[in-house]
């Protein structure tokens, strides 16, 4: 389909005002001044659709599910119409050689200009043989596709930080996109899965301003990952008052008190769940009574137990230590540190608690 | 299963919940109304970007009061653009299809931008009228 975005949207029954309203909200979520909503709407309405290539590596398709199944009819989904998605194995009709031909064609036609979206980590073990597409290893495909890309967007925790495939003992030697791509701008949109509006927000920013949004030290957009879950949690007042749920069915849990002692990783997790919420703003983990798992932080899977409170005085090794160490080569060290902390926790515990089940 | 059938009742913290962040907004609005009158410059305050509690918002709404005009926009969920008791100050709330508030603004404008019809859309209307007349 050709033409500007507003025409495409109009064909789908999205009016200009509906689009303006969406842009106002998007600008608000991205912490841009209110006037930016209008600028965004004008720029995006007129924007020609850039080519986007989406490569899936060691992943579970949860990230694709997140964006395609955001509440319907979905403006997030419609925003996907503002890009020309030239290759996406799960969504495209073509298969086999035809699909690979589409990829080659898109890369050649839009060399230097296309956006590359990657979900899933990249295995380096056994020369990358653990995950191949069309007989070629993921690492090979990524290097080739990244070469002609304007920027690379790592969607999900696996692509951003290695995620679950990289979890101790990392059998496939999985690494993140930014471990391999160093000469192109990389944006990480972690989360397991990531919040749909964060993905569209980054795309909208690129289309509006022709640049990527401001990033934090882990290459995450500051507007969505600038604050912790804890900072914006509606249960925060209970934390400040020292009111904690101690089990999942005690009085505190029923009263909706803070889930810190039940292992909530909110204080060390940067993400927008507390403000944007999930399923069309219906709810989010803490609102449904479960602590945050910290899924948008590096090595969240090896954080020492989802139900273990963050700072237990007897345990000097905290999740923070694991999450603040980033970069290639430290994975093993973190793994050992976690093992040490687990052993310490195991010997410190006398009774069997929920936390033990996590070991 | 409906959420109501789960015996989990979240009790909001006991305080009336006024954070003290709302009163300074009145001064901010005064400044914006001044700019609107002097230069015709309209502007908006993004309420979701500010640390305001539900009680703060209720306080603000109460202080600003209700004006003569209330606009309802039906576009992917309902939006309301209501004039407050201070002409030129509008309380704008955008909701999604589920009725959840997506964003909230206070706008200082003679007419909120969203209410005005875009020339391109007016053109479409003109073409429609012409086609009706030629069809008669």
């Amino acid at each position: 389909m050709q033409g500007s975005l507003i025409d495409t949207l109009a064909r789908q029954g999205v009016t200009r005002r509906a689009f303006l309203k969406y842009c106002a909200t998007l600008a608000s979520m991205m912490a841009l001044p209110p006037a930016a909503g209008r600028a965004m709407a004008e720029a995006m309405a007129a924007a020609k659709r850039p080519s986007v290539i989406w490569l899936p590596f060691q992943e579970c398709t949860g990230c694709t599910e997140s964006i395609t199944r955001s509440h319907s009819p979905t403006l997030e989904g419609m925003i996907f119409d503002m890009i020309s998605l030239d290759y996406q194995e799960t969504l495209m009709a073509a298969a086999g050689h035809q699909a690979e031909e589409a990829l080659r064609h898109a890369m050649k036609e839009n060399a230097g200009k296309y956006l590359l979206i990657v979900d899933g980590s990249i295995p380096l073990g056994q020369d990358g043989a653990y995950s191949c597409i069309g007989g070629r290893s993921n690492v090979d495909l990524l290097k080739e596709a990244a070469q002609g890309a304007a920027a690379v967007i790592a969607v999900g925790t696996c692509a951003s930080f290695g995620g679950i495939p990289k979890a101790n003992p990392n059998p496939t030697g999985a690494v993140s996109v930014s471990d391999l791509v160093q000469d192109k701008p990389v944006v990480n949109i972690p989360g397991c899965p990531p919040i749909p509006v964060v993905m569209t927000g980054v795309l909208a920013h690129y289309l509006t301003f022709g640049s990527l949004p401001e990033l934090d030290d882990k290459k995450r957009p500051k507007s969505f990952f600038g604050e912790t879950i804890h900072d914006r949690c509606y249960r925060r007042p209970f934390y400040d008052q020292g009111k904690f749920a101690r089990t999942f069915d005690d009085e505190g849990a029923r009263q909706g008190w803070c889930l810190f002692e039940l292992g909530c990783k909110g204080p060390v997790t940067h993400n927008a769940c507390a403000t944007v919420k999930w399923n069309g703003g219906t709810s989010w983990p803490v609102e449904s009574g479960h602590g945050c798992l910290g899924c948008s932080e590096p090595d969240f899977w090896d954080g020492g137990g989802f139900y273990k409170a963050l700072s237990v005085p007897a345990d000097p090794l905290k999740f923070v230590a694991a999450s603040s160490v980033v970069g290639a080569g430290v994975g093993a060290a973190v793994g050992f540190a976690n093992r040490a902390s687990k052993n310490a926790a195991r010997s410190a515990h006398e009774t069997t608690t929920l936390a033990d089940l996590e070991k | 299963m409906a959420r109501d059938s789960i015996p989990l009742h979240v009790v909001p913290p006991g305080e009336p919940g006024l954070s003290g962040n709302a009163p300074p907004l009145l001064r901010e609005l005064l400044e914006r109304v001044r700019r609107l009158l002097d230069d015709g410059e309209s502007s908006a305050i993004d309420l979701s970007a500010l640390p305001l509690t539900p009680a703060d918002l209720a306080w603000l709404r109460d202080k600003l009061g209700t004006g003569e005009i209330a606009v309802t926009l039906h576009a992917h969920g309902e939006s309301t653009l209501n004039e407050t008791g201070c002409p030129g100050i509008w309380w704008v709330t955008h909701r999604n299809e589920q009725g959840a508030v997506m964003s909230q603004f206070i706008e200082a404008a003679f007419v909120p931008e969203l209410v005005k019809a875009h020339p391109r859309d007016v053109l479409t209307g003109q073409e429609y009228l012409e086609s009706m007349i030629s069809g008669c």
Side-chain angles (χ1 to χ4, degrees), chain A residues 321-341:
Chain A
S323 67
S324 60
V325 186
V326 224
V330 297
V334 171
F336 279 118
N338 284 331
R339 217 171 294 158
S341 96

Side-chain angles (χ1 to χ4, degrees), chain A residues 40-227:
Chain A
M40 222 169 195
E42 273 164 23
M44 280 204 288
K48 291 281 182 256
R49 307 184 314 147
S51 171
V52 172
I53 293 170
W54 184 317
L55 291 178
F57 295 143
Q58 279 194 137
E59 46 87 34
C60 69
T61 315
C63 300
T64 308
E65 289 282 332
S66 175
I67 187 132
T68 54
R69 291 181 195 273
S70 50
H71 62 292
S72 87
T74 148
L75 268 166
E76 267 87 52
M78 286 172 193
I79 289 301
F80 248 49
D81 289 330
M82 73 194 181
I83 60 174
S84 170
L85 192 55
D86 292 329
Y87 182 87
Q88 216 282 10
E89 285 175 8
T90 311
L91 302 178
M92 70 197 305
H97 293 297
Q98 283 180 327
E100 298 314 305
E101 186 49 43
L103 173 62
R104 268 191 297 276
H105 182 73
M107 279 179 5
K108 205 170 136 214
E109 286 294 296
N110 307 293
K113 289 181 292 190
Y114 60 83
L115 280 177
L116 177 63
I117 297 182
V118 174
D119 65 332
S121 64
I122 304 99
L124 296 184
Q126 305 284 349
D127 290 331
Y130 284 108
S131 180
C132 295
I133 300 167
R136 293 181 63 194
S137 70
N138 289 171
V139 55
D140 210 23
L141 287 164
L142 174 61
K143 281 189 173 156
E144 187 193 28
Q147 215 160 30
V152 188
I153 303 175
V155 163
T157 301
C158 296
S160 299
F161 306 128
I164 293 171
K166 192 188 162 212
N168 196 21
N170 191 359
T172 64
V175 297
S176 69
V177 169
S178 47
D179 284 338
L180 294 172
V181 181
Q182 261 119 28
D183 54 346
K184 296 278 174 181
V186 175
V187 182
N188 287 333
I189 305 180
C192 192
I195 299 175
V197 74
V198 183
M199 299 190 236
T200 50
V202 170
L203 289 174
H205 193 284
Y206 185 74
L207 282 175
T208 308
F209 306 107
S211 64
L212 296 165
E214 203 187 338
L215 307 177
D216 71 3
D217 62 334
K218 296 191 179 79
K219 297 190 167 80
R220 302 176 292 198
K222 269 188 184 168
S223 47
F224 293 104
F225 296 92
E227 288 173 303

Side-chain angles (χ1 to χ4, degrees), chain A residues 167-299:
Chain A
N168 196 21
N170 191 359
T172 64
V175 297
S176 69
V177 169
S178 47
D179 284 338
L180 294 172
V181 181
Q182 261 119 28
D183 54 346
K184 296 278 174 181
V186 175
V187 182
N188 287 333
I189 305 180
C192 192
I195 299 175
V197 74
V198 183
M199 299 190 236
T200 50
V202 170
L203 289 174
H205 193 284
Y206 185 74
L207 282 175
T208 308
F209 306 107
S211 64
L212 296 165
E214 203 187 338
L215 307 177
D216 71 3
D217 62 334
K218 296 191 179 79
K219 297 190 167 80
R220 302 176 292 198
K222 269 188 184 168
S223 47
F224 293 104
F225 296 92
E227 288 173 303
T228 65
I229 295 289
H230 191 59
D231 288 337
R232 300 300 294 266
C233 182
Y234 77 103
R235 295 196 187 201
R236 175 64 184 264
F238 292 117
Y239 176 88
D240 296 335
Q241 292 166 18
K243 290 179 173 169
F244 299 102
R246 299 216 150 75
T247 69
F248 282 107
D249 59 354
D250 69 356
E251 191 53 22
R254 279 167 213 281
Q255 301 273 332
W257 290 353
C258 178
L259 299 165
F260 181 82
E261 295 197 355
L262 287 168
C264 181
K265 304 295 182 284
V268 293
T269 304
H270 295 78
N271 207 341
C273 304
T275 44
V276 178
K277 298 192 182 182
W278 284 88
N279 298 325
T282 306
S283 183
W284 59 292
V286 169
E287 193 173 343
S288 66
H290 194 287
C292 166
L293 300 184
C295 76
S296 57
E297 294 294 329
D299 303 314

